[in-house]
Amino acid sequence: MKSLDSMLEEALEQNNALKYEDTYERFAIYGGVKIILDKTTNEINIYNTTGGGDNYRKFNSKEMELFYTHGWLDAVHKIQLDRYKRKIHLLQDRIKELINTPHFSKKKYSELKNARKHNTTKYYKLLKRLQ
């Protein structure tokens, strides 16, 4: 089982991660996940940055189990794969819904298909890189 301290260090060593440190905090963001050390309380938290809005959401206990079991990088990749899969299914449902409406828009259909293709490509690139 990985500790939050080791995950923070792993995240800060990640080449592609955005890193920041000042007198109050130290953090890294990678793949839509932020790990932060609050230096005033010495507390480490992990947040999902892709939920939208100004406030990031803490991961629930099931999601945190991924981090404790697999470590920082593997957990971030698994979360990214799930996110892409969810987006692909959402887009597929929206395409089906659009096709079955009387006000079919070719432009909207094309946008949805392109978005689905984009997310599918990202999903398979990440999946291939992990194998």
Side-chain angles (χ1 to χ4, degrees):
M1 186 177 269
K2 306 280 183 170
S3 71
L4 287 172
D5 291 327
S6 68
M7 284 186 262
L8 177 63
E9 291 307 315
E10 186 181 349
L12 291 168
E13 291 170 5
Q14 182 67 34
N15 288 337
N16 301 352
L18 176 110
K19 301 161 201 138
Y20 178 78
E21 182 170 4
D22 65 12
T23 55
Y24 302 107
E25 64 186 8
R26 183 177 186 200
F27 69 80
I29 299 176
Y30 177 72
V33 180
K34 179 179 184 179
I35 185 166
I36 182 169
L37 167 66
D38 183 344
K39 290 182 176 179
T40 58
T41 61
N42 224 19
E43 185 179 346
I44 298 173
N45 290 305
I46 301 178
Y47 296 96
N48 181 352
T49 66
T50 62
D54 292 336
N55 297 321
Y56 298 151
R57 179 184 64 81
K58 280 187 179 181
F59 285 103
N60 63 34
S61 58
K62 182 181 176 188
E63 294 165 325
M64 283 302 296
E65 193 61 37
L66 277 175
F67 287 99
Y68 291 125
T69 306
H70 299 286
W72 168 259
L73 192 58
D74 287 345
V76 169
H77 287 152
K78 288 178 186 303
I79 288 168
Q80 283 180 309
L81 285 172
D82 285 344
R83 189 178 303 131
Y84 291 141
K85 208 183 299 185
R86 187 175 59 251
K87 283 181 183 179
I88 291 165
H89 288 295
L90 244 168
L91 288 165
Q92 189 63 35
D93 290 344
R94 289 178 65 192
I95 289 170
K96 286 178 186 175
E97 196 175 292
L98 179 66
I99 289 172
N100 293 323
T101 61
H103 305 291
F104 181 79
S105 166
K106 286 184 181 181
K107 183 180 176 185
K108 187 66 177 171
Y109 178 71
S110 179
E111 289 172 0
L112 291 171
K113 276 181 48 178
N114 288 337
R116 182 185 63 190
K117 182 180 178 184
H118 175 75
N119 280 287
T120 303
T121 302
K122 288 173 88 173
Y123 175 83
Y124 283 112
K125 278 184 181 178
L126 180 58
L127 193 61
K128 188 175 182 179
R129 198 171 65 214
L130 294 176
Q131 292 176 344

